[in-house]
Amino acid sequence: MTLAEYLDATEYAARRLLDAIWHEQAEIESLSARVATLERRVKAEYATAQHIIDDAETPDDVMLGVARHWDNYFGADRERHDQQQELNRLIETRAARNLALGSLAGSLLQIAKQGLSLSLGRPATWPDGRAVGGQSLSSVVRGARNQAMHWDDGGLRQADTIAAMVQLERDFGAPFADYNTSNLAMPVITLLGWRTYDDYVADMRRFT
């Protein structure tokens, strides 16, 4: 089987995996932007209300400032609070599902690595692909797949896997130092920029 044939055969699975991996992240990013906008509105409105109170020369001026304060409290600030609560819940949900997300990301790396093995043979015969820091894409795919599958076995043992992860740490820092204690498939996919199927398959086609 050629790599092109393999990519065609596994397209559906890879697409579904990428959709699942990035769905929650997209929701968090969208909600974070809305909360940040609300926070700026609330802060500006409270500052305006306080300015009115501080500079008040008559009781009517004070009441105007107080009214602005409470209008803000029951309006934009209440909305901001509700959005922040929703954001917190979503972040907590994502944290609780980190292991599942790591498994999904590891599955995508497994699909990629299996395609290279089936179509190109032993890793020593694989083309490099593009550069990822100081090593090749093929080294990252092989090393990250192995790390995702074996990180919880009591420490990595394969020299090429360890070398790949050490190089990632050297080039990109945290979180790649945690290769013996965490599944790093998700950070690797993020680093590679595999957010869509087109991103993923463009890299894989570099090996054909």
Side-chain angles (χ1 to χ4, degrees):
M1 174 181 284
T2 68
L3 183 56
E5 291 170 337
Y6 178 86
L7 292 174
D8 287 342
T10 57
E11 177 178 353
Y12 180 84
R15 285 186 182 276
R16 298 289 78 76
L17 281 170
L18 281 160
D19 287 345
I21 288 166
W22 292 108
H23 173 73
E24 286 189 21
Q25 181 62 32
E27 288 188 351
I28 289 173
E29 290 171 355
S30 175
L31 190 53
S32 295
R34 295 202 301 270
V35 169
T37 298
L38 283 170
E39 285 178 334
R40 288 193 295 270
R41 282 175 47 196
V42 169
K43 183 177 181 180
E45 185 62 23
Y46 275 134
T48 299
Q50 189 61 49
H51 179 72
I52 292 172
I53 294 171
D54 291 342
D55 291 349
E57 296 181 356
T58 70
D60 287 343
D61 291 339
V62 174
M63 292 308 299
L64 177 61
V66 170
R68 288 285 293 269
H69 176 92
W70 287 112
D71 284 346
N72 188 51
Y73 177 81
F74 287 111
D77 196 25
R78 177 68 61 84
E79 183 182 359
R80 181 208 60 79
H81 175 76
D82 291 345
Q83 294 279 1
Q84 185 67 57
Q85 291 297 104
E86 183 181 353
L87 176 62
N88 290 343
R89 285 192 296 271
L90 192 57
I91 291 173
E92 289 173 0
T93 298
R94 184 174 174 84
R97 295 177 61 180
N98 268 343
L99 288 177
L101 286 171
S103 295
L104 290 170
S107 295
L108 184 64
L109 289 169
Q110 169 64 14
I111 289 175
K113 187 267 181 188
Q114 187 172 16
L116 297 177
S117 294
L118 287 175
S119 61
L120 300 172
R122 297 180 295 104
T125 67
W126 297 357
D128 287 342
R130 65 178 170 95
V132 182
Q135 62 187 312
S136 65
L137 176 62
S138 60
S139 295
V140 172
V141 169
R142 183 175 71 253
R145 176 268 182 191
N146 291 342
Q147 192 275 338
M149 300 300 160
H150 301 294
W151 68 271
D152 59 350
D153 291 346
L156 300 181
R157 295 176 176 81
Q158 292 180 283
D160 56 350
T161 300
I162 295 172
M165 303 316 295
V166 168
Q167 187 64 49
L168 285 175
E169 180 189 1
R170 182 178 297 121
D171 291 333
F172 304 104
F176 297 104
D178 300 329
Y179 59 83
N180 274 322
T181 57
S182 300
N183 181 348
L184 299 184
M186 189 64 188
V188 167
I189 285 176
T190 302
L191 173 67
L192 295 178
W194 289 359
R195 295 190 68 96
T196 69
Y197 179 76
D198 288 343
D199 298 326
Y200 158 78
V201 81
D203 265 348
M204 292 299 293
R205 285 173 178 157
R206 293 173 187 270
F207 298 109
T208 59

